[in-house]
Amino acid sequence: MNMKNLKRLGFVIVLSGILLFTVNIFLGDYQFNEAKISGYFDNTPDVIDAGDTISEGFIDAIQQYEATNSASYSNMIMFNAALVDIIGRHN
């Protein structure tokens, strides 16, 4: 294998990596998980505090969003767009 072929092989590998990294954004399925949301905001599950209020409000905003929008979170871009709307409803 000479240097010219080695450079071509390296170029193909780099392009393949960039392509796979870019396509990976559009693969997968995203969803909101109430247990994870509550666990993130509520550090003391035995005590009713601000974390409970925040997590319940956020979950209510998610349910309102899902009731009024039929779009799924099939990729990261749609998930992020929904997240901005949900945070706006929560605030």
Side-chain angles (χ1 to χ4, degrees):
M1 181 177 266
N2 61 17
M3 190 57 100
K4 188 174 186 177
N5 288 337
L6 187 61
K7 285 173 67 175
R8 284 185 185 162
L9 178 64
F11 182 69
V12 168
I13 290 173
V14 167
L15 283 181
S16 300
I18 291 171
L19 180 68
L20 287 174
F21 180 78
T22 305
V23 169
N24 191 32
I25 293 172
F26 300 102
L27 298 177
D29 188 29
Y30 300 89
Q31 60 186 357
F32 292 101
N33 186 336
E34 291 183 18
K36 287 186 180 181
I37 292 170
S38 296
Y40 180 76
F41 288 111
D42 189 14
N43 296 331
T44 55
D46 299 335
V47 180
I48 296 177
D49 56 0
D52 293 314
T53 307
I54 292 169
S55 64
E56 288 175 9
F58 198 74
I59 291 169
D60 289 342
I62 291 169
Q63 291 170 347
Q64 289 175 4
Y65 179 82
E66 290 176 347
T68 58
N69 294 297
S70 61
S72 66
Y73 317 120
S74 59
N75 62 45
M76 188 184 301
I77 294 171
M78 293 177 76
F79 182 77
N80 287 338
L83 188 60
V84 169
D85 192 23
I86 290 168
I87 290 172
R89 289 173 190 247
H90 178 258
N91 291 333

